[in-house]
Amino acid sequence: MTHIRKAVFPVAGLGTRFLPATKSVPKEMLPLVDRPLIQYAVDEAREAGIEEFIFITSAGKNPLEDYFDSASALERRLQDNGKTSALEALESTQLPEGRLAFVRQSAPRGLGHAVGLARHLVGDEPFAVLLPDDVIKAPRGALGQMIAEHKHTGGHMVATMEVSPRQVSAYGVIDPIAAYGRSLRARRLVEKPAADKAPSNDAIIGRYLLEPSIFEQLGNLGPGAGGELQLTDAINADIPTTPVTGFRFEGERFDCGSVQGFVQATVAFALERNALSGDLSDFLAERLQSRALAA
Ligand code: G1P
């Protein structure tokens, strides 16, 4: 079984749900507590053993590239001023030089198109895709869980989570034929099905392990849901020759593509921080109590 070394991060989206903040700041740079959103997906990938990081960007995403660059002047200054913890915070985000690539997607043609642009950088080996909007809080990173399971299943693997029937149309959905522990063997995948046409409520969440055969399918893909080239459709088209598994990861997922999800994630992650949790819980308890009294 080949070791999964490379990960693709599609970050070309416009982030319109976060306007006006995203007018001049990429959505992926918005801070979740004190780390930009993109850092959470990158940390999860590093924990899972990923060594090469491929970002699919678009116009206006240069701050992401700067963010992952070293900041030697700043580091020197922090060192000179004895700001050790700030320096450590900075160093903890550093990715190995020469292991990052940025590819521009010139028009918003869909997730399938974005992933297809990584073909020449991924080459002929299995790889991971992480959608940074999906933040997963878990004792062990969701991608690491998937890679461990993938050693037994091979093929394509998508993270899944059960959602309520009225939410299925916002997701890709798998049609499971059999379950083995947390793994669901899929017969079919459908992108954004109408609620009454959904084959199940096992929704795809933004973590994928893909065999290189996906690039052939992406190359042949026609427009799908929303008129865009859909990764779900390419995986579905590959089912006759490559098994597809849905993996019900352990952990809590936040949809940080929505303001509601972003705020919830901020509270959940802040409550885990020793330096913040005490005051924050008191504040939240007081607020909730005064709202209840006013109601
Ligand atoms: C994308 C995928 C979809 C998946 C979702 C998870 O959709 O196309 O299959 O369920 O991410 O977040 P998007 O949210 O970009 O519309």
Short mmCIF file of all heavy atoms in Angstrom, two decimals, residues 111 131 134 171-172 191-192 204-206 208 230 232 253, ligand 1:
data_model
loop_
_atom_site.label_atom_id
_atom_site.label_comp_id
_atom_site.label_asym_id
_atom_site.label_seq_id
_atom_site.Cartn_x
_atom_site.Cartn_y
_atom_site.Cartn_z
N LEU A 111 -15.40 22.11 -7.90
CA LEU A 111 -14.41 21.38 -7.10
C LEU A 111 -13.67 20.35 -7.96
O LEU A 111 -12.47 20.15 -7.81
CB LEU A 111 -15.14 20.71 -5.92
CG LEU A 111 -14.29 19.89 -4.97
CD1 LEU A 111 -13.20 20.74 -4.32
CD2 LEU A 111 -15.17 19.25 -3.90
N LEU A 131 -11.05 20.01 2.27
CA LEU A 131 -11.77 21.26 2.07
C LEU A 131 -11.70 22.03 3.39
O LEU A 131 -12.32 21.60 4.38
CB LEU A 131 -13.23 21.00 1.67
CG LEU A 131 -13.48 20.03 0.51
CD1 LEU A 131 -14.97 20.03 0.13
CD2 LEU A 131 -12.63 20.37 -0.71
N ASP A 134 -14.59 22.74 6.02
CA ASP A 134 -15.03 21.71 6.96
C ASP A 134 -13.96 21.56 8.02
O ASP A 134 -12.88 21.00 7.76
CB ASP A 134 -15.25 20.37 6.24
CG ASP A 134 -16.54 20.37 5.42
OD1 ASP A 134 -17.49 21.07 5.81
OD2 ASP A 134 -16.58 19.67 4.39
N TYR A 171 -25.40 18.61 0.19
CA TYR A 171 -24.18 17.79 0.23
C TYR A 171 -24.10 16.83 -0.95
O TYR A 171 -25.09 16.59 -1.64
CB TYR A 171 -24.18 16.94 1.51
CG TYR A 171 -24.08 17.73 2.78
CD1 TYR A 171 -25.22 18.16 3.45
CD2 TYR A 171 -22.83 18.05 3.32
CE1 TYR A 171 -25.12 18.88 4.64
CE2 TYR A 171 -22.72 18.78 4.50
CZ TYR A 171 -23.87 19.19 5.15
OH TYR A 171 -23.77 19.90 6.31
N GLY A 172 -22.92 16.20 -1.08
CA GLY A 172 -22.83 14.97 -1.85
C GLY A 172 -23.29 13.87 -0.91
O GLY A 172 -23.05 13.94 0.30
N GLU A 191 -24.35 14.08 -6.12
CA GLU A 191 -24.07 15.42 -5.63
C GLU A 191 -25.36 16.21 -5.50
O GLU A 191 -26.16 16.28 -6.44
CB GLU A 191 -23.09 16.13 -6.59
CG GLU A 191 -22.69 17.55 -6.18
CD GLU A 191 -21.85 17.63 -4.89
OE1 GLU A 191 -21.35 16.61 -4.42
OE2 GLU A 191 -21.71 18.76 -4.38
N LYS A 192 -25.60 16.79 -4.35
CA LYS A 192 -26.74 17.66 -4.05
C LYS A 192 -28.08 17.09 -4.55
O LYS A 192 -28.76 17.70 -5.38
CB LYS A 192 -26.50 19.06 -4.65
CG LYS A 192 -25.12 19.64 -4.37
CD LYS A 192 -25.12 20.73 -3.34
CE LYS A 192 -23.78 20.99 -2.70
NZ LYS A 192 -22.72 21.51 -3.50
N ILE A 204 -21.34 13.50 2.35
CA ILE A 204 -19.88 13.60 2.17
C ILE A 204 -19.40 14.88 2.85
O ILE A 204 -19.96 15.95 2.66
CB ILE A 204 -19.51 13.63 0.67
CG1 ILE A 204 -20.02 12.36 -0.03
CG2 ILE A 204 -18.01 13.80 0.49
CD1 ILE A 204 -19.88 12.39 -1.56
N ILE A 205 -18.36 14.73 3.66
CA ILE A 205 -17.71 15.87 4.32
C ILE A 205 -16.34 16.03 3.68
O ILE A 205 -15.77 15.06 3.16
CB ILE A 205 -17.64 15.61 5.85
CG1 ILE A 205 -19.05 15.44 6.42
CG2 ILE A 205 -16.89 16.70 6.59
CD1 ILE A 205 -19.99 16.63 6.19
N GLY A 206 -15.80 17.24 3.69
CA GLY A 206 -14.64 17.56 2.86
C GLY A 206 -13.29 16.94 3.18
O GLY A 206 -12.29 17.64 3.35
N TYR A 208 -11.05 13.59 1.51
CA TYR A 208 -11.07 12.54 0.49
C TYR A 208 -9.69 11.89 0.41
O TYR A 208 -8.68 12.58 0.54
CB TYR A 208 -11.33 13.15 -0.90
CG TYR A 208 -12.59 13.98 -1.02
CD1 TYR A 208 -12.62 15.30 -0.57
CD2 TYR A 208 -13.73 13.47 -1.62
CE1 TYR A 208 -13.77 16.07 -0.70
CE2 TYR A 208 -14.88 14.24 -1.76
CZ TYR A 208 -14.89 15.54 -1.29
OH TYR A 208 -16.03 16.30 -1.42
N GLN A 230 -18.10 18.45 -10.86
CA GLN A 230 -18.21 17.98 -9.48
C GLN A 230 -17.28 16.78 -9.21
O GLN A 230 -17.31 15.78 -9.93
CB GLN A 230 -19.66 17.56 -9.18
CG GLN A 230 -20.67 18.70 -9.28
CD GLN A 230 -20.50 19.74 -8.16
OE1 GLN A 230 -19.73 19.55 -7.22
NE2 GLN A 230 -21.21 20.85 -8.27
N THR A 232 -17.61 14.73 -6.82
CA THR A 232 -18.49 13.59 -6.50
C THR A 232 -18.81 12.79 -7.76
O THR A 232 -18.80 11.56 -7.75
CB THR A 232 -19.81 14.11 -5.88
OG1 THR A 232 -19.47 14.90 -4.74
CG2 THR A 232 -20.73 12.99 -5.47
N ARG A 253 -17.93 18.04 13.34
CA ARG A 253 -17.61 18.85 12.16
C ARG A 253 -18.34 20.19 12.23
O ARG A 253 -19.50 20.26 12.59
CB ARG A 253 -18.03 18.07 10.92
CG ARG A 253 -17.90 18.83 9.63
CD ARG A 253 -19.27 19.31 9.19
NE ARG A 253 -19.22 19.90 7.85
CZ ARG A 253 -20.29 20.35 7.22
NH1 ARG A 253 -21.49 20.25 7.79
NH2 ARG A 253 -20.19 20.88 6.04
C1 G1P B 1 -18.63 20.18 -1.46
C2 G1P B 1 -18.83 18.84 -2.17
C3 G1P B 1 -19.96 18.06 -1.50
C4 G1P B 1 -19.67 17.91 -0.01
C5 G1P B 1 -19.41 19.28 0.63
C6 G1P B 1 -18.94 19.09 2.06
O1 G1P B 1 -19.79 20.97 -1.68
O2 G1P B 1 -19.12 19.07 -3.54
O3 G1P B 1 -20.08 16.79 -2.09
O4 G1P B 1 -20.79 17.29 0.61
O5 G1P B 1 -18.40 20.01 -0.07
O6 G1P B 1 -18.71 20.31 2.70
P1 G1P B 1 -19.87 22.55 -1.42
O7 G1P B 1 -20.07 22.74 0.05
O8 G1P B 1 -18.57 23.13 -1.89
O9 G1P B 1 -21.04 23.04 -2.21
#
